[in-house]
Amino acid sequence: MPYDPSAFPPFAVTVDLVVLTVRRHALCAMAVRRGEPPFQGRWALPGGFVRADEDLAQAAARELAEETGLRVHDPAVPAQDNGAHLEQLATYGDPKRDPRMRVVSVAHLALAPDLPAPRAGGDASNARWAPVEELLQQGGYGRDGETLAPLAFDHAQILADGVERARSKIEYSSLATAFCPPEFTVGELRRVYEAVWGVALDPRNFHRKVTGTPGFLVPTGGTTTRQGGRPAQLFRAGGATLLNPPMLRPEV
């Protein structure tokens, strides 16, 4: 039998973005207030529909640029000032996740250093950073006395999955350096781990572990006093992408 596309119900594909950064020593995610139905006025993750002429990676990069002004980090250019790490997270396809029609979402995780206030775009009427603990614990986000409501669609689950991906992956990979500027100190990297995990780490043990893997961190030859106190050595992410042995997350 020849293939008949009309024999199958139509459905759409979207990309949703878990955009994480560290602001004021806290792990924060971008939340946007929806300006259109469904869930008009509710907070959600940034994202949108995949266009007919783009693949998933292109759609995610476009939405990231539209919502945050960030471009995707190019590994071939190690010292970008405004590049974001972007990776595919998971696919969500519950038939009832979107009341408009059958919509399958391919979620992506985006990480970048301390980011400025986001700008709203697309169908988002407002956008801002919110501490992930606030979003995850309450299932919604409110301010100025507004009633808290769950995040739109299944975005609470997507956000939780994205945060857990980041928390688990920095145990053994160089992902934490995506939260840092091109040149950073060991202390600044430690504060990223502390923000993502929500714990305090012993500075000496941390320094020993991250400098103990050859090629994980590479000295730049410079120093900085931006954290106060004595000049601290500056590093950049090296070619080694795995931390060996891994730095296991402390139990809280």
Side-chain angles (χ1 to χ4, degrees):
M1 296 290 293
Y3 169 68
D4 180 9
S6 65
F8 302 92
F11 68 93
V13 178
T14 61
V15 290
D16 287 309
L17 297 170
V18 178
V19 186
L20 301 178
T21 193
V22 175
R23 289 170 58 86
R24 302 181 183 90
H25 306 298
L27 181 63
C28 296
M30 179 180 291
V32 297
R33 191 191 293 275
R34 289 188 55 79
E36 299 176 358
F39 305 109
Q40 185 172 6
R42 292 262 289 274
W43 292 95
L45 299 176
F49 287 93
V50 178
R51 295 173 179 170
D53 61 346
E54 61 187 2
D55 61 25
L56 294 172
Q58 291 171 333
R62 173 180 55 78
E63 287 290 341
L64 182 66
E66 290 177 356
E67 300 286 0
T68 69
L70 288 171
R71 66 179 184 274
V72 177
H73 174 72
D74 182 357
V77 185
Q80 294 185 95
D81 293 333
N82 199 28
H85 170 88
L86 183 69
E87 65 179 63
Q88 196 171 120
L89 175 62
T91 303
Y92 300 83
D94 188 303
K96 297 180 180 180
R97 64 176 304 274
D98 192 317
R100 292 168 293 189
M101 63 179 295
R102 180 72 190 274
V103 177
V104 174
S105 177
V106 182
H108 289 69
L109 176 64
L111 310 176
D114 185 17
L115 297 175
R119 63 170 187 263
D123 64 354
S125 61
N126 194 9
R128 67 177 303 175
W129 294 108
V132 296
E133 291 301 325
E134 194 170 312
L135 289 166
L136 292 174
Q137 290 176 5
Q138 300 178 355
Y141 182 69
R143 58 174 177 164
D144 298 330
E146 70 175 317
T147 301
L148 289 172
L151 292 174
F153 306 103
D154 51 0
H155 287 184
Q157 182 62 56
I158 296 175
L159 175 61
D161 292 345
V163 170
E164 179 56 32
R165 167 75 68 85
R167 286 174 172 167
S168 61
K169 200 168 179 179
I170 66 173
E171 291 184 339
Y172 61 87
S173 78
S174 60
L175 188 65
T177 61
F179 289 104
C180 296
E183 295 185 357
F184 51 88
T185 68
V186 171
E188 289 170 337
L189 181 61
R190 173 173 52 82
R191 281 183 279 275
V192 166
Y193 275 82
E194 292 177 334
V196 174
W197 284 344
V199 299
L201 300 174
D202 180 77
R204 291 186 178 181
N205 287 341
F206 180 85
H207 191 285
R208 175 175 52 82
K209 288 182 178 180
V210 297
T211 58
T213 298
F216 189 74
L217 298 181
V218 177
T220 66
T223 60
T224 181
T225 57
R226 61 185 175 224
Q227 297 299 315
R230 298 170 56 186
Q233 188 175 12
L234 286 169
F235 294 85
R236 60 175 175 81
T241 57
L242 296 179
L243 190 59
N244 186 26
M247 182 158 26
L248 300 181
R249 188 185 343 175
E251 294 185 7
V252 179

